[in-house]
Amino acid sequence: MHDFVNDDRFKGIKPFEKRVLLASPTMHKTADGNSWTELDYVREAFETNWITCAGSNLTALEPLIADYLGAKYIVGLSCGTAAIHMAIKLAANKLYGSNTGISTPDGQVLGGCLYGRKVFCTDLTFDATVNPIVYEGGEPVFIDSEYETWNMDPEALGKAFEKFPDVKLVVCAHLYGTPGKIDEIKSICEAHGALLIEDAAESLGSTYKGKQTGTWGDYGVISFNGNKIITGSAGGALICHNLEEADKARKWSTQSREPAPWYQHEELGYNYRMSNIIAGIVRGQMEHLGEHISAKKAIYDRYKEGFKGLPVQMNPTGIDTDTNCWLSCMIIDPEAMASHERSDKEATYSIEPGKSSPSEILDAMNAFNAEGRPIWKPMHMQPIYRKNAYVTAAEDKSVSEDIFARGLCLPSDNKMTAEEQAIVIKIIRNCFE
Ligand SMILES: Cc1ncc(COP(=O)(O)O)c(C=O)c1O
């Protein structure tokens, strides 16, 4: 690998002693400095011995999130992926009258409520958006992104419905916190009698046209994974609009136990419920969500200002949105891209004056102990999903491939100081010398 530390372009810059991270958990000291906001709620769980999947934290957290989002019902779950899985099962129940799908002629349940069915989903996303479709035997069909938001392209979605008119379910993610064109997507779904699951795992607190992401769809999903805008160490939540469905998800996620004196099961169950410990951490973090969003916005603005004059753009913040700016990203203008190739496991690039590439910038930042990441590799390019259908608006152009080829995620940790960020910006600027 190139020796960036001794490269003349970076003269005078020293590696960070403490690694500057992409996005890590931020916990909060109490006002007196003697404890932690989050820990006090966890302590309450310990002291009352409610440490499993019930207790005051979980009971308080669900309406707290619902209130914040302007949503009707929230179900606390073990992670965002579990929430997507539960949303899919609820959707299948509504669409096909079954959440277990195929069974043998004599009634033995084989599972797979999406068995043999296609589902449209975001192409440029983390694979957790998509995998639960496959858990249920469904076949993801990937929908390309558009440049204005980097999210699902409504035009490509429209084309997908022309090609596959029987599809009745769409899973749509808001990448890096920026809301997609969710009202257009919702209208297209409605016109085709399809249900919409909104993956707002990365966009908690972001609004589109004044309404929180996650609340537009028939179901919504949030993640409290360690790298998210707030975290419970893990955890996730399902957003839904009616009590019956919220209760169903609560039942399924606690092994589908029927009210009986013994373990009685009429439906397939899952161990997906959020624990009262995780709920305590999230409850404490909710008090600081606004502060986290402000810190992320300040990071985004500093990058934007710091990159002035460079042949790069920041990731879009969307149209008529207020975004949580969860991850700041950049994309290099096509004419400023140095030669850059990626195989399935490795990247090669050349160092060219006035130009750079995502891999050069990531390696340079890494050499100085700062963590970036490539743009999430599009699903249609993933070996596991390469045979799946993929629909783009223009026949010969993949927007998500282009964003992956030219873009990268920048250190966006809300504990990164302005001084540290100024050095990160300098490193990136120097890559273009
Ligand atoms: C877009 C997206 N969807 C779903 C998930 C899954 O969330 P979790 O890690 O809580 O299962 C994540 C993050 O991890 C994500 O980034």
Side-chain angles (χ1 to χ4, degrees):
M1 210 225 287
H2 184 74
D3 182 3
F4 287 95
V5 176
N6 293 306
D7 179 330
D8 271 355
R9 294 179 297 168
F10 303 94
K11 220 174 180 172
I13 303 178
K14 288 203 195 75
F16 294 107
E17 271 178 31
K18 192 164 166 247
R19 191 157 173 79
V20 173
L21 296 169
L22 188 79
S24 71
T26 304
M27 297 293 130
H28 300 272
K29 283 273 183 197
T30 48
D32 61 9
N34 293 330
S35 185
W36 301 82
T37 315
E38 296 82 0
L39 189 59
D40 283 350
Y41 289 116
V42 173
R43 190 172 288 119
E44 180 186 314
F46 267 70
E47 282 168 359
T48 55
N49 203 31
W50 285 98
I51 60 159
T52 64
C53 293
S56 56
N57 288 324
L58 191 53
T59 308
L61 181 66
E62 290 179 340
L64 186 69
I65 299 172
D67 229 40
Y68 175 84
L69 293 175
K72 276 211 171 117
Y73 301 101
I74 295 290
V75 180
L77 296 168
S78 56
C79 61
T81 314
I84 296 173
H85 193 182
M86 291 292 94
I88 284 171
K89 286 181 66 84
L90 286 170
N93 209 33
K94 207 175 209 171
L95 289 166
Y96 314 120
S98 163
N99 63 75
T100 43
I102 47 168
S103 43
T104 59
D106 61 358
Q108 188 190 338
V109 172
L110 299 174
C113 64
L114 294 176
Y115 186 77
R117 301 185 202 274
K118 289 184 168 56
V119 175
F120 296 147
C121 53
T122 298
D123 182 48
L124 188 58
T125 185
F126 185 60
D127 72 341
T129 305
V130 175
N131 289 342
I133 297 168
V134 183
Y135 301 167
E136 289 297 331
E139 185 188 327
V141 171
F142 302 114
I143 310 296
D144 197 18
S145 288
E146 37 82 13
Y147 286 110
E148 279 180 315
T149 71
W150 290 11
N151 287 306
M152 185 182 279
D153 182 351
E155 197 186 329
L157 180 64
K159 273 183 85 174
F161 274 115
E162 281 168 25
K163 234 174 169 164
F164 305 106
D166 294 338
V167 171
K168 291 285 172 250
L169 185 58
V170 176
V171 186
C172 175
H174 301 285
L175 191 71
Y176 304 135
T178 298
K181 296 174 179 172
I182 199 69
D183 58 343
E184 279 182 61
I185 287 164
K186 192 177 178 194
S187 306
I188 296 168
C189 290
E190 282 169 359
H192 292 87
L195 295 181
L196 174 63
I197 296 173
E198 221 188 329
D199 179 356
E202 300 176 2
S203 65
L204 175 61
S206 298
T207 62
Y208 181 74
K209 298 191 172 171
K211 191 169 145 77
Q212 291 281 338
T213 56
T215 64
W216 286 81
D218 296 281
Y219 310 96
V221 167
I222 312 169
S223 165
F224 301 114
N225 180 301
N227 64 5
K228 296 297 183 287
I229 191 94
I230 58 169
T231 182
S233 71
L238 172 72
I239 304 162
C240 48
H241 304 302
N242 81 62
L243 180 60
E244 198 190 325
E245 288 192 309
D247 282 343
K248 246 188 208 329
R250 284 191 187 102
K251 177 184 165 194
W252 292 342
S253 64
T254 45
Q255 304 290 20
S256 289
R257 288 166 62 177
E258 297 296 331
W262 42 79
Y263 287 140
Q264 175 87 3
H265 303 286
E266 293 172 9
E267 297 181 283
L268 207 53
Y270 302 83
N271 187 2
Y272 277 175
R273 194 76 163 118
M274 180 184 275
S275 86
N276 197 42
I277 299 282
I278 286 179
I281 304 175
V282 178
R283 198 176 168 193
Q285 289 265 288
M286 281 298 287
E287 295 177 18
H288 296 277
L289 176 55
E291 197 183 305
H292 285 203
I293 293 174
S294 300
K296 295 282 192 182
K297 283 182 175 175
I299 289 168
Y300 183 94
D301 290 344
R302 286 197 290 264
Y303 277 126
K304 195 167 181 165
E305 182 64 28
F307 292 156
K308 277 198 174 143
L310 279 188
V312 308
Q313 315 296 323
M314 291 296 290
N315 55 319
T317 49
I319 306 146
D320 208 349
T321 60
D322 185 13
T323 152
N324 70 5
C325 290
W326 172 59
L327 276 195
S328 286
C329 305
M330 59 177 268
I331 183 164
I332 300 171
D333 293 348
E335 65 281 4
M337 274 290 291
S339 161
H340 179 227
E341 301 283 336
R342 281 173 173 146
S343 69
D344 266 341
K345 298 272 165 67
E346 274 176 352
T348 49
Y349 55 88
S350 57
I351 292 175
E352 300 172 29
K355 296 183 172 186
S356 190
S357 63
S359 296
E360 184 194 6
I361 295 171
L362 290 168
D363 283 353
M365 289 196 300
N366 193 44
F368 289 97
N369 211 12
E371 183 187 30
R373 192 159 292 174
I375 293 294
W376 299 177
K377 183 172 176 172
M379 289 300 115
H380 80 274
M381 296 171 75
Q382 299 288 354
I384 182 176
Y385 290 128
R386 262 179 205 155
K387 294 213 165 85
N388 290 50
Y390 169 50
V391 184
T392 58
E395 255 350 292
D396 53 352
K397 167 94 186 163
S398 165
V399 173
S400 63
E401 262 178 56
D402 183 40
I403 295 169
F404 174 61
R406 295 191 287 121
L408 67 137
C409 306
L410 299 162
S412 304
D413 194 53
N414 52 11
K415 293 172 299 311
M416 172 173 66
T417 64
E419 292 72 30
E420 287 170 331
Q421 194 179 350
I423 296 167
V424 172
I425 291 169
K426 195 157 189 281
I427 293 166
I428 295 168
R429 292 195 73 90
N430 293 357
C431 286
F432 286 91
E433 271 185 10

